């Protein structure tokens, strides 16, 4: 069994490599994302909190290429490149954490409901239908407003409450397909426990789908966090975010006369999300090919 899993892992890696070789756009996007993450996190490691919290009125709204500021400064006299790095790190951290929670919860619930089916699955799916029709954005904003001592962890928890539904339904649908395959029937006949069948036999066969889903969920979470921060209901006040940088555009004077304060953050979000989507589409094709050949 261990040797079989090892071969499957090698086959998965080989399939992803081949797909990226054939899809130059996805390969370029992957290399670009790796470079972006390395630059953002390594640069942020050497920043002190005072660097992006302290205000210097004398350097307020300096234009690009002024006094050594390549992209200019913001309303607090802080370097735009520095704010871009720390904001991107914060937005990525929120997206990473929510994506991780989403995948863990979504995979566990999806495999269990898809495997057992029946009345349990029926009741659970009606519950997910109910959660899906709720105005999640409005509820998140209400939670952000009323929760005392709101911080980054609070935001992660609030967003995660509504983010697991899509992943759960996707994994459930694929699990229901796997349940009818011969290897699952053989395992049941031999007396293998339900837990082992679900998470040691079925779930590994969904790994490609999970990876593809992770990339798209991550892209969506970046957009959600920046959207909430743009509206003023994201990260706590004083915590930089790509959304708060774009919020500068809500000031008519800044939007037209000082575009360097919000355009770089917009470009970063656009390029990063597009790159993740290109990679996700390539991984989705790998998942579909592996599913079709099984």
């Amino acid at each position: 069994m261990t040797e079989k899993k090892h071969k499957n892992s090698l086959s998965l890696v080989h399939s992803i490599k081949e797909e990226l070789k054939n899809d130059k756009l996805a390969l370029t996007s992957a290399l670009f994302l790796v470079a972006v993450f390395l630059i953002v996190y390594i640069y942020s490691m050497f920043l002190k909190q005072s660097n992006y919290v302290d205000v210097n009125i004398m350097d307020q709204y300096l234009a690009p290429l002024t006094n050594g500021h390549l992209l200019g400064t913001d309303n607090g006299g802080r370097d735009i490149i520095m704010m871009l790095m720390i904001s991107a790190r914060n937005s990525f951290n929120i997206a990473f954490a929510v994506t991780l929670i989403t995948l863990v919860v979504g995979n566990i619930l999806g495999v269990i409901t898809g495997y057992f089916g029946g009345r349990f699955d029926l009741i659970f799916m009606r519950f997910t239908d109910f959660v899906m029709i709720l105005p999640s954005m409005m509820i998140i904003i209400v939670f952000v407003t009323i929760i005392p001592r709101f911080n980054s962890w609070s935001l992660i928890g609030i967003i995660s409450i509504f983010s697991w539904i899509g992943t759960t339904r996707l994994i459930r649908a694929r699990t229901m397909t796997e349940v009818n395959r011969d290897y699952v029937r053989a395992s049941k006949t031999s007396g293998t426990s339900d837990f082992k069948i679900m998470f040691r036999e079925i779930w590994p066969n969904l790994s490609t789908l999970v990876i593809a889903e992770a990339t798209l969920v991550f892209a969506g979470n970046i957009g959600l966090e920046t959207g909430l921060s743009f509206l003023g209901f994201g990260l706590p006040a004083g915590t930089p975010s790509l959304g708060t940088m774009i919020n500068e555009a809500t000031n008519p004077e800044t939007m037209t006369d000082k575009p360097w304060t919000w355009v770089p953050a917009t470009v970063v979000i656009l390029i990063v999300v597009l790159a993740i989507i290109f990679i996700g589409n390539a991984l989705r094709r790998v998942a579909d090919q592996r599913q079709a050949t099984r």
Side-chain angles (χ1 to χ4, degrees), residues 51-108:
N51 294 134
Y52 53 87
V53 172
D54 293 348
V55 174
N56 183 1
I57 299 298
M58 299 299 292
D59 288 339
Q60 187 180 40
Y61 289 132
L62 291 179
L65 302 177
T66 304
N67 293 345
H69 299 289
L70 187 62
L71 295 181
T73 62
D74 63 6
N75 60 345
R78 295 161 297 215
D79 186 79
I80 290 295
I81 292 180
M82 178 189 69
M83 295 303 293
L84 203 58
M85 294 295 171
I86 200 70
S87 297
R89 186 202 65 177
N90 291 339
S91 295
F92 292 161
N93 284 346
I94 297 294
F96 273 127
V98 175
T99 301
L100 181 62
I101 294 173
T102 298
L103 292 178
V104 170
V105 175
N107 276 272
I108 292 175

Side-chain angles (χ1 to χ4, degrees), residues 44-276:
S44 301
M45 288 172 58
F46 297 97
L47 287 178
K48 298 178 181 177
Q49 188 175 12
S50 58
N51 294 134
Y52 53 87
V53 172
D54 293 348
V55 174
N56 183 1
I57 299 298
M58 299 299 292
D59 288 339
Q60 187 180 40
Y61 289 132
L62 291 179
L65 302 177
T66 304
N67 293 345
H69 299 289
L70 187 62
L71 295 181
T73 62
D74 63 6
N75 60 345
R78 295 161 297 215
D79 186 79
I80 290 295
I81 292 180
M82 178 189 69
M83 295 303 293
L84 203 58
M85 294 295 171
I86 200 70
S87 297
R89 186 202 65 177
N90 291 339
S91 295
F92 292 161
N93 284 346
I94 297 294
F96 273 127
V98 175
T99 301
L100 181 62
I101 294 173
T102 298
L103 292 178
V104 170
V105 175
N107 276 272
I108 292 175
L109 294 179
V111 170
I112 292 175
T113 55
Y115 178 80
F116 287 108
R119 186 174 299 177
F120 169 71
D121 177 60
L122 180 66
I123 296 172
F124 187 78
M125 283 300 103
R126 297 298 74 76
F127 172 72
T128 60
D129 291 340
F130 170 72
V131 176
M132 285 185 69
I133 63 174
L134 293 175
S136 56
M137 179 65 82
M138 296 298 295
I139 296 175
I140 288 173
I141 290 174
V142 170
F143 280 151
V144 169
T145 306
I146 64 175
I147 287 181
R149 298 180 183 177
F150 178 78
N151 55 32
S152 301
W153 291 107
S154 306
L155 180 63
I156 292 170
I158 294 169
I159 296 176
S160 299
I161 292 174
F162 300 96
S163 62
W164 55 273
I165 303 293
T167 302
T168 299
R169 296 177 73 91
L170 177 66
I171 298 300
R172 166 187 171 271
R174 285 298 178 92
T175 301
M176 293 180 77
T177 303
E178 295 293 323
V179 165
N180 295 317
R181 294 187 182 276
D182 292 339
Y183 74 93
V184 175
R185 293 196 184 99
S187 297
K188 288 181 177 179
T189 303
S190 63
T192 306
S193 68
D194 292 330
F195 182 84
K196 286 185 178 180
I197 295 175
M198 285 188 288
F199 296 105
R200 296 186 64 177
E201 297 186 17
I202 293 178
W203 189 82
N205 291 322
L206 308 177
S207 54
T208 315
L209 179 66
V210 173
I211 295 172
E213 176 71 4
T215 57
L216 300 178
V217 170
F218 179 64
N221 287 331
I222 291 177
L224 181 57
E225 187 282 323
T226 53
L228 287 169
S229 295
F230 173 80
L231 295 172
F233 297 99
L235 287 168
T239 305
S241 161
L242 293 174
T244 56
M245 292 187 72
I246 299 175
N247 184 267
E248 290 282 340
T250 58
N251 183 335
E253 181 183 351
T254 307
M255 184 179 68
T256 55
D257 298 339
K258 302 174 181 66
W260 62 85
T261 59
W262 58 272
V263 168
T266 307
V267 172
V268 167
I269 292 174
L270 181 65
I271 294 177
V272 168
V273 171
L274 281 176
I276 294 172

